[in-house]
Amino acid sequence: MPMWSWAGEAARHLRAVGQVDLAEAVTSLPQLCESGEAVRVEAVARSALRTARRLVSESGGDRAEVPGVLGPPTLLYLAHWPLAVRVGALAEGRRALEQATAAADGVPDPRAHGPLPVSALETLVRCHANIDADGTTAERGELLSSRRLAGWEQSPAWPSFCLARAQLLIDEGRPDRAEADLRRYEHTATGPALLGAEGVFTLVRALRHQDKHTDALEALDRLEAEIALAPDTHGGRRVTLRRLARFERARLLSWLARLGLYPSRDAIVPLPTVEEAEAHPSLRPAWVEAVENLVCQGAVRNDWRLGVRVTTWSRYFERVGAPRRGAELALAAARLAAGRGAHWVATCSTRRAERLIGELRATEEITGDLDEVRTMVAAMPPVQPLAPADRILEYLRAQPAEQVDPEQQAEQVNAALAAVPHDTPLLSALGQVGRTLMLSDAATEPQWRHVRARPGDQRAALSLLETLMHDNDTAGVRDLVRTLAAGTPHADDYRTAPEVGAAAASVRPAG
């Protein structure tokens, strides 16, 4: 019995004894988790746990009033989803690792507590995969070993372990073995019911890693046909499955279009909106991959707005401790920027990729991608100043609004700063355009050099503060306050440190 069937059965028992709200929580939590609605998952799980514990307390610990549904399996199930949504749909890595490890350490033995529907052990495996899919195979292999999984074979959580093992094989460079294992389930009477749609998406990934894109599309076609015919018994899950299928289809078709095997005008049809990708972090890499392929075919416009989006997502993965995904998106941002001639963005994205790749273990393939990007950036023509350094800001401000290109502005400001590196208005302008392009962390580098050299420059300090606050960089704000307090301000700007300190008090902790 897979988890979804267990949830339906538990909800039926709960409704039979009048616990309708608790039943609704049991069926809705996994669907909300798949949709990435972390706030709702947290609220529903907390409320349901409170209700379940109250019922157990009121019955004096006797769960006979609600047979089989208020024991450890249900309480574990309700507590599972707040962390699962973070590691799953939100694709968090190191930011969730400590909590995921603690939860896995506390997993009960399914042989002692009945058929457990979910496992924090699988959540920890997924967390490691988020951090560095290719580089965490040893840790995941140990977590998924026969020794660690003894007793789980007959539990509703077992299918998730089967799929985790298949994902591990793919990351180990053995997608053919993963496909063979999944096909073995597929051709048994209970296989499709056991692995369900998740098994199809895992199979699609295994096929894609073998360049079997046509076979992967056929698997998606069959799944979508089944979704259309089957009743939606899991609280709106059909919408989630269709969304996942669209993202995968867009990725597959865009690659075939790039190879010249499919019309690019048709490949763009299934591409989800950027708002959908924004709302579902785990799906952003698929969207970026599809868009980059379509850009190469001229089917999608490659402009600075696309660059901002990809950079923002790369920084998201960096922030949640998923360096491989962050590096892959940084490389995509660099390639796209090089293609449209945005030298500063390409350089900053390449540096971000270098930094994130330094956190990875298995780096052979991604280092090759990095070398390719470095070559592309090195081949870009140098920036030609459009006006002398002392007049460039005046020139840029005079541009008509419809002609303003933040990436071009950044190029010109950086070119001027090369001539006059301590010009305060230019540093402020760099901070402004850096915030627009979501490269405020790169913009702070020359700002920091200036402030450390001249801590009495109030305007430069406030501009740096604004850039740091835009990034929610509380550590940077504290460093700035210490730097100014340790400096020797000039008589006419004695208010610098107090003003920065007052402004710093309003910054929120980094999230």
Side-chain angles (χ1 to χ4, degrees):
M1 177 195 297
M3 181 275 295
W4 290 97
S5 300
W6 181 94
E9 187 68 13
R12 186 178 66 79
H13 280 293
L14 287 165
R15 288 192 180 93
V17 296
Q19 295 298 328
V20 177
D21 291 343
L22 201 53
E24 180 63 25
V26 167
T27 56
S28 67
L29 276 170
Q31 196 276 328
L32 291 172
C33 181
E34 283 189 332
S35 298
E37 299 186 50
V39 174
R40 287 189 63 192
V41 167
E42 179 72 31
V44 171
R46 185 187 299 115
S47 176
L49 269 172
R50 189 163 51 243
T51 299
R53 288 166 177 160
R54 176 177 56 80
L55 290 172
V56 172
S57 176
E58 289 175 354
S59 65
D62 182 7
R63 303 183 181 93
E65 296 181 15
V66 191
V69 294
L70 282 185
T74 300
L75 296 177
L76 178 72
Y77 174 91
L78 295 174
H80 170 79
W81 299 106
L83 180 59
V85 69
R86 291 176 55 196
V87 173
L90 301 189
E92 292 189 20
R94 290 197 183 101
R95 189 159 77 176
L97 182 59
E98 183 177 352
Q99 187 175 347
T101 302
D105 289 342
V107 169
D109 189 330
R111 292 167 292 195
H113 294 85
L116 300 179
V118 292
S119 174
L121 196 62
E122 190 270 336
T123 302
L124 178 58
V125 169
R126 188 175 299 192
C127 186
H128 278 298
N130 289 346
I131 294 170
D132 182 5
D134 296 356
T136 59
T137 54
E139 291 91 337
R140 290 152 61 201
E142 167 60 23
L143 292 170
L144 295 171
S145 64
S146 299
R147 178 182 61 82
R148 291 296 298 267
L149 297 186
W152 287 94
E153 296 85 350
Q154 303 303 317
S155 73
W158 181 248
S160 66
F161 287 119
C162 295
L163 295 177
R165 281 176 164 172
Q167 297 283 5
L168 175 62
L169 287 169
I170 297 170
D171 291 332
E172 286 178 335
R174 296 190 286 169
D176 53 337
R177 170 70 185 279
E179 179 191 358
D181 287 355
L182 293 167
R183 296 289 192 194
R184 192 157 42 248
Y185 280 104
E186 188 179 48
H187 292 107
T188 62
T190 61
L194 183 69
L195 298 184
E198 295 90 342
V200 177
F201 290 119
T202 306
L203 176 62
V204 167
R205 182 171 183 243
L207 293 169
R208 181 164 51 81
H209 277 256
Q210 299 175 77
D211 291 327
K212 297 181 178 180
H213 294 82
T214 302
D215 292 347
L217 284 168
E218 291 175 357
L220 283 179
D221 288 339
R222 290 194 299 272
L223 175 62
E224 289 186 301
E226 292 170 5
I227 293 171
L229 293 174
D232 194 8
T233 58
H234 297 302
R237 192 175 183 229
R238 179 183 294 168
V239 175
T240 299
L241 295 178
R242 283 175 171 166
R243 180 191 306 117
L244 291 170
R246 284 204 322 278
F247 274 86
E248 282 298 335
R249 185 177 297 278
R251 172 156 52 186
L252 292 167
L253 291 179
S254 69
W255 179 247
L256 291 175
R258 188 167 180 174
L259 295 178
L261 302 176
Y262 196 83
S264 58
R265 64 180 180 276
D266 296 334
I268 199 174
V269 173
L271 183 68
T273 64
V274 68
E275 289 77 17
E276 280 188 281
E278 179 70 41
H280 301 91
S282 64
L283 300 179
R284 292 172 185 174
W287 191 90
V288 172
E289 187 175 333
V291 165
E292 186 177 5
N293 289 333
L294 293 170
V295 164
C296 292
Q297 299 304 110
V300 170
R301 183 180 178 184
N302 181 15
D303 62 9
W304 68 269
R305 294 173 183 82
L306 175 59
V308 168
R309 190 71 63 170
V310 179
T311 297
T312 301
W313 293 346
S314 173
R315 297 193 65 188
Y316 169 83
F317 288 120
E318 180 180 20
R319 189 169 66 252
V320 300
R324 182 167 293 273
R325 286 178 177 172
E328 290 170 348
L329 264 61
L331 290 172
R335 288 190 295 265
L336 290 167
R340 61 180 179 269
H343 201 291
W344 187 62
V345 176
T347 301
C348 292
S349 297
T350 302
R351 289 175 180 168
R352 188 182 313 283
E354 291 171 344
R355 184 169 64 252
L356 291 172
I357 290 171
E359 301 179 25
L360 305 178
R361 296 182 192 171
T363 60
E364 182 177 356
E365 182 177 351
I366 199 168
T367 299
D369 295 338
L370 176 61
D371 291 340
E372 179 184 345
V373 165
R374 285 170 173 158
T375 300
M376 293 174 66
V377 175
M380 295 177 69
V383 176
Q384 299 299 320
L386 299 176
D390 59 349
R391 289 172 46 205
I392 190 60
L393 294 181
E394 180 183 350
Y395 173 87
L396 295 175
R397 290 175 186 136
Q399 288 183 316
E402 63 275 9
Q403 296 180 13
V404 170
D405 182 338
E407 290 182 336
Q408 183 195 60
Q409 291 180 333
E411 306 282 17
Q412 294 299 313
V413 170
N414 275 291
L417 279 169
V420 281
H422 288 285
D423 185 88
T424 301
L426 285 173
L427 290 168
S428 297
L430 182 63
Q432 292 172 352
V433 75
R435 293 190 292 272
T436 299
L437 297 174
M438 293 306 294
L439 289 169
S440 43
D441 58 334
T444 60
E445 294 177 12
Q447 289 181 315
W448 268 118
R449 285 194 296 270
H450 176 78
V451 168
R452 288 191 171 110
R454 304 179 184 180
D457 189 337
Q458 176 177 320
R459 181 177 175 183
L462 291 174
S463 176
L464 173 57
L465 174 64
E466 188 175 3
T467 309
L468 294 170
M469 292 177 69
H470 179 269
D471 262 5
N472 263 345
D473 185 354
T474 51
V477 171
R478 288 192 293 268
D479 190 11
L480 176 59
V481 172
R482 286 193 297 267
T483 298
L484 298 177
T488 307
H490 298 295
D492 58 351
D493 44 42
Y494 62 92
R495 294 175 298 172
T496 301
E499 285 194 14
V500 171
S506 66
V507 71
R508 297 180 180 179

